[in-house]
Amino acid sequence: ITFGMYLRIRRSNPGYRMAYLDGKVEIKSPEFRYERGAWKLGLLVPVVAMAHGIPFSGAGSTTFRLGDQSLLKGSGKEPDESFYFANEPLIRGKDRIILPGDPPPDLWIEVDNRGSSWGRLPLYARLGVPEVWQLRVRKNTLWFGRLEGETCQETDRSLSLSMLTPERVLDALNKAKGVSDSTWLRWLTGWAATLGEPPATDAL
């Protein structure tokens, strides 16, 4: 379908998550397990940023898109969570973010439940996203990627929050198992304050 048709489907189905890349559309309705993974990462990132005095703004699941409505070529998607760090001053005070005039989020978080988002790496690159995290909740794995050319390549630590590695984040997420969110959040606040720069070998 054309990029314009995707936009019309997107507007008429606000409750679904969609991904569009050059004529192909993927539609999904998130399950609880999926939403829990996004929720926990959506808490962890701000807590770490605040503990280290790093300015940020959250963009949640905003739809980011680029394309010509009359053509197939185009891209569009909602992250499960997203944040601005380096580009935060450029979107501060805005009510709408429109690419390419505005920057994409500096950190894009994707949570996989049943499927895999590996095939979407070119989509994130097309949108110009500098950093992507992919959490696979059923396998309990986390991958960090950084923009390189037309795709994302694996990296051993976050670009925006350099004290975080996939291993450290997974360890923190596993602490949430079997406890309330409020209990985990109290633990998370203390944990974030203790984080220093990881050694070169502290990677997943």
Side-chain angles (χ1 to χ4, degrees):
I1 68 173
T2 66
F3 185 68
M5 291 176 65
Y6 152 71
L7 294 180
R8 289 192 289 274
I9 296 171
R10 172 68 278 171
R11 294 187 187 107
S12 61
N13 294 274
Y16 291 93
R17 301 285 173 84
M18 298 185 185
Y20 178 88
L21 183 63
D22 298 344
K24 296 181 179 180
V25 176
E26 177 185 344
I27 301 175
K28 63 182 178 181
S29 178
E31 297 180 2
F32 181 67
R33 183 189 311 217
Y34 171 101
E35 292 286 12
R36 289 290 296 160
W39 164 254
K40 288 187 286 187
L41 286 174
L43 287 175
L44 184 148
V45 169
V47 167
V48 172
M50 288 189 293
H52 294 269
I54 300 171
F56 72 94
S57 284
S61 296
T62 299
T63 299
F64 295 93
R65 52 184 180 258
L66 278 173
D68 186 318
Q69 294 201 31
S70 63
L71 302 176
L72 290 176
K73 190 175 179 63
S75 55
K77 198 178 184 309
E78 300 79 38
D80 294 310
E81 290 288 345
S82 60
F83 297 89
Y84 283 88
F85 291 96
N87 285 318
E88 188 275 333
L90 299 179
I91 57 96
R92 192 180 301 167
K94 287 181 175 286
D95 293 322
R96 298 182 66 196
I97 297 174
I98 303 175
L99 308 183
D102 297 313
D106 294 293
L107 172 59
W108 181 297
I109 294 174
E110 192 78 19
V111 178
D112 294 334
N113 181 18
R114 297 182 182 278
S116 171
S117 56
W118 285 109
R120 302 190 201 113
L121 294 182
L123 191 161
Y124 309 138
R126 181 84 63 80
L127 293 172
V129 177
E131 179 178 2
V132 176
W133 294 3
Q134 292 180 330
L135 174 67
R136 303 193 70 177
V137 292
R138 289 178 181 266
K139 294 187 175 182
N140 195 36
T141 61
L142 180 65
W143 182 88
F144 284 6
R146 63 188 301 169
L147 179 63
E148 290 189 14
E150 296 183 355
T151 189
C152 298
Q153 299 294 331
E154 185 173 12
T155 184
D156 63 359
R157 68 178 64 191
S158 172
L159 301 180
S160 298
L161 299 169
S162 60
M163 67 290 300
L164 293 181
T165 65
E167 184 177 58
R168 284 183 170 183
V169 174
L170 271 180
D171 284 346
L173 294 180
N174 288 333
K175 294 287 187 181
K177 295 178 180 178
V179 301
S180 68
D181 287 347
S182 56
T183 297
W184 181 64
L185 189 54
R186 285 193 293 271
W187 175 86
L188 191 66
T189 301
W191 170 81
T194 68
L195 292 174
E197 292 295 316
T201 56
D202 188 9
L204 186 65

